């Protein structure tokens, strides 16, 4: 028998070869499967199958104006779906497989369900580094649409248990490969006129994009929501969140960083990569604690700290 059924719904299965084969079969049959990636767990479906993609939207309760990232096995698969200019190719070669999503012009005739791009003339593509996601892509031969495997607007999952708690019986199979290494969703960039526009900060930092491309990336500004992961309230716990806290006030669960000890600490040594990897798990635990509200220590706004603060700001907005 595969896996365990700890909450009585939804199957958490260790991501071994048999489970990966079973997941690929489910996906080819138009089902959804939760799969670990190096950033967060994704809720995957065959990107070319409109019914399968509709299952993702239904399970997440996601507003359908919000397009999905398509995960590809390699650059060749990506080039069948989007138009790559020189800069896009350079970034893909430098950062793939990895935590960078490229928003590029959709190729004419690309085999992608309309709901994946939500009618936009562009498509978001990522070649993930996680061996389990890579194995499922290879085994299924599909391109996989996969948003984070949580209810729309809730905290992203960095462990199989988070997926089970958020989506439960809505997912027939959850592949478990332990905690995600990066812990924050991929950096999303749009390439326009050979310029890099950052739509969502993430593990691939502005500094490293600048170093590799020898140009200064711009941040998306203005009101238009292009990456709705960028809605003001997102990644939100059910409790209020207070930022830049030094000490816990009455009824608060404090998530510390460095010398701000807290009930929990994102990184006692003030290591930002470690803090990123622990952030969502810490928010899940804070939300589940008996405390009334959540406070979070100040996080330096540099390197991946920019992405951590981006998520924290949205978690604190309601
Ligand atoms: O790390 C990640 O990126 C994870 C893992 C599972 O790969 N996925 C993820 O997907 O975070 P999701 O669906 O939660 O976030 C996708 C973001 C959304 O904010 C969406 O609006 C944006 O990508 N997006 C998708 N297609 C787009 C497009 N054509 N133009 C602009 N933004 C797009
Ligand atoms: Mg998400």
């Amino acid at each position: 028998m595969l896996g365990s059924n700890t909450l009585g719904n939804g199957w958490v299965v260790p991501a071994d070869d048999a489970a990966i084969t079973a997941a690929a079969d489910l996906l080819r049959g138009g089902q959804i499967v939760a799969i670990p990636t190096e950033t967060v767990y994704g809720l995957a479906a065959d990107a070319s199958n409109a019914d399968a993609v509709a299952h993702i939207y239904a399970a997440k309760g996601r507003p359908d104006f919000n397009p999905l990232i398509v995960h590809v096995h390699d650059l060749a698969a990506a080039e069948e779906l989007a138009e790559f200019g020189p800069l896009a190719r350079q970034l893909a070669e430098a950062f793939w497989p990895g935590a960078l999503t490229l928003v590029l012009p959709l190729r004419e005739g690309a085999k992608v369900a309309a709901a994946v791009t939500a009618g936009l003339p562009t498509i978001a593509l990522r070649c993930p580094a996680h061996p389990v996601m890579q194995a499922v892509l290879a085994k299924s031969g599909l391109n996989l649409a996969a948003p984070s495997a949580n209810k729309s607007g809730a905290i992203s999952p960095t462990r199989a248990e988070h997926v089970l708690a958020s989506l439960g019986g809505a997912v027939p199979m959850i592949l478990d490969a332990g905690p995600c290494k990066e812990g924050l969703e991929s950096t999303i960039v749009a390439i326009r006129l050979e310029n890099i526009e950052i739509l969502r900060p993430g593990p691939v930092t502005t500094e490293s994009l600048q170093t590799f491309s020898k140009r200064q990336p711009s941040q998306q500004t203005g009101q238009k929501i292009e990456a709705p992961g960028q809605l003001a309230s997102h990644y939100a716990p059910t409790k209020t969140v207070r930022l830049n806290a030094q000490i816990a006030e009455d009824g608060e669960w404090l998530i510390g960083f460095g010398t701000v000890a807290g009930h929990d600490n994102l990184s006692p040594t003030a290591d930002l990569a470690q803090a990123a990897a622990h952030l969502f798990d810490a928010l899940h635990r804070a939300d589940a604690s008996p405390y009334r509200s959540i406070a979070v220590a100040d996080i330096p706004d540099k390197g991946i700290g920019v992405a951590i603060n981006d998520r924290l700001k949205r978690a604190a907005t309601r």
Side-chain angles (χ1 to χ4, degrees):
M1 193 186 76
L2 286 175
S4 64
N5 187 352
T6 32
L7 293 188
N9 47 27
W11 291 89
V12 176
V13 183
D16 57 16
D17 285 350
I20 286 166
T21 302
D25 288 345
L26 283 172
L27 290 162
R28 274 198 302 262
Q31 304 271 351
I32 52 176
V33 177
I35 307 175
T37 83
E38 70 277 30
T39 59
V40 300
Y41 276 71
L43 185 60
D46 174 359
S48 68
N49 180 334
D51 290 337
V53 172
H55 288 318
I56 296 180
Y57 282 97
K60 280 184 68 83
R62 172 174 248 197
D64 62 7
F65 60 80
N66 198 343
L68 306 174
I69 294 174
V70 176
H71 298 69
V72 294
H73 184 252
D74 52 24
L75 180 55
E79 296 212 38
E80 288 179 14
L81 302 179
E83 309 278 355
F84 277 69
L87 177 59
R89 197 165 292 117
Q90 186 194 351
L91 290 178
E93 281 165 359
F95 294 100
W96 283 1
L100 182 69
T101 295
L102 299 172
V103 172
L104 299 169
L106 183 63
R107 188 179 276 283
E108 220 184 286
K111 289 199 188 69
V112 174
V116 169
T117 53
L120 295 171
T122 51
I123 183 167
L125 295 174
R126 177 161 104 81
C127 174
H130 197 291
V132 171
M133 183 53 138
Q134 273 289 339
V136 176
L137 286 163
K139 193 113 232 176
S140 66
L142 301 171
N143 299 311
L144 296 174
S148 50
N150 54 275
K151 286 277 184 198
S152 188
I155 308 168
S156 295
T158 54
R159 294 173 180 271
E161 305 88 279
H162 299 158
V163 181
L164 187 62
S166 188
L167 298 178
V171 192
M173 184 184 230
I174 300 167
L175 291 181
D176 185 357
C180 302
K181 189 165 138 268
E182 302 280 7
L184 293 180
E185 300 86 347
S186 62
T187 305
I188 304 181
V189 304
I191 311 290
R192 288 198 191 94
L193 304 171
E194 295 294 295
N195 281 313
I196 300 174
E197 193 175 353
I198 298 179
L199 305 185
R200 177 174 75 184
V204 174
T205 60
T206 308
E207 293 88 329
S208 56
L209 286 167
Q210 183 170 2
T211 305
F212 274 94
S213 68
K214 305 208 168 39
R215 63 195 90 198
Q216 175 69 50
S218 61
Q219 309 288 330
Q220 192 184 40
T221 51
Q223 299 295 42
K224 196 168 148 279
I225 295 166
E226 197 160 355
Q230 298 312 88
L231 289 169
S233 172
H234 202 86
Y235 316 104
T238 57
K239 299 173 182 174
T240 58
V241 178
R242 182 172 69 89
L243 302 180
N244 304 322
Q246 293 289 334
I247 52 164
E249 288 173 5
D250 197 28
E252 275 183 347
W253 171 276
L254 176 61
I255 299 174
F257 176 79
T259 53
V260 177
H263 296 86
D264 196 359
N265 196 301
L266 294 177
S267 171
T269 57
D271 176 322
L272 287 170
Q274 185 182 38
H278 290 163
L279 178 69
F280 288 139
D281 195 39
L283 285 172
H284 279 285
R285 266 182 284 132
D287 221 15
S289 78
Y291 291 73
R292 210 169 44 239
S293 59
I294 303 169
V296 189
D298 184 40
I299 308 291
D301 206 34
K302 57 172 202 251
I304 196 173
V306 175
I308 297 174
N309 284 322
D310 171 79
R311 305 307 189 274
L312 281 174
K313 242 179 286 154
R314 292 170 212 287
T317 303
R318 51 188 55 236

